[in-house]
Amino acid sequence: MNVADFPEIEKLAPLEKLELAKDLLSQIQGQHEVEVAPEILAALDRRVAYYKDHPDEVSTWEEVRERVFG
């Protein structure tokens, strides 16, 4: 399973994707015996806060993919 299996995720804004990732990690932590490190959740919180403060300083997935894969 990957993001390509859920095309509606591609339509989300970067902030929405970060919030979704955080929510998914929280659900995993709450429903299973898999523990998500507090550092990971804190890092997501910092990234969301940074995005809210600097919404013009992000790259789209297409831009990132182009930089990585050319």
Side-chain angles (χ1 to χ4, degrees), residues 2 14 27 30 38 42 53 64:
N2 59 49
Q27 284 185 4
D53 291 340
V64 172

Side-chain angles (χ1 to χ4, degrees), residues 53-70:
D53 291 340
H54 307 91
D56 297 330
E57 295 183 20
V58 297
S59 298
T60 65
W61 171 239
E62 291 77 18
E63 293 167 338
V64 172
R65 188 173 37 212
E66 179 65 25
R67 283 196 307 265
V68 172
F69 299 109

Side-chain angles (χ1 to χ4, degrees), residues 10-68:
E10 291 292 327
K11 298 175 187 174
L12 297 175
L15 177 60
E16 293 171 319
K17 290 177 183 179
L18 284 171
E19 290 175 345
L20 176 60
K22 182 180 176 190
D23 288 346
L24 289 171
L25 286 172
S26 294
Q27 284 185 4
I28 290 169
Q29 186 175 19
Q31 294 179 354
H32 302 285
E33 294 189 20
V34 175
E35 190 167 323
V36 178
E39 297 83 16
I40 292 173
L41 295 175
L44 287 170
D45 285 335
R46 286 191 304 276
R47 290 178 183 193
V48 168
Y50 185 87
Y51 174 75
K52 286 180 180 179
D53 291 340
H54 307 91
D56 297 330
E57 295 183 20
V58 297
S59 298
T60 65
W61 171 239
E62 291 77 18
E63 293 167 338
V64 172
R65 188 173 37 212
E66 179 65 25
R67 283 196 307 265
V68 172

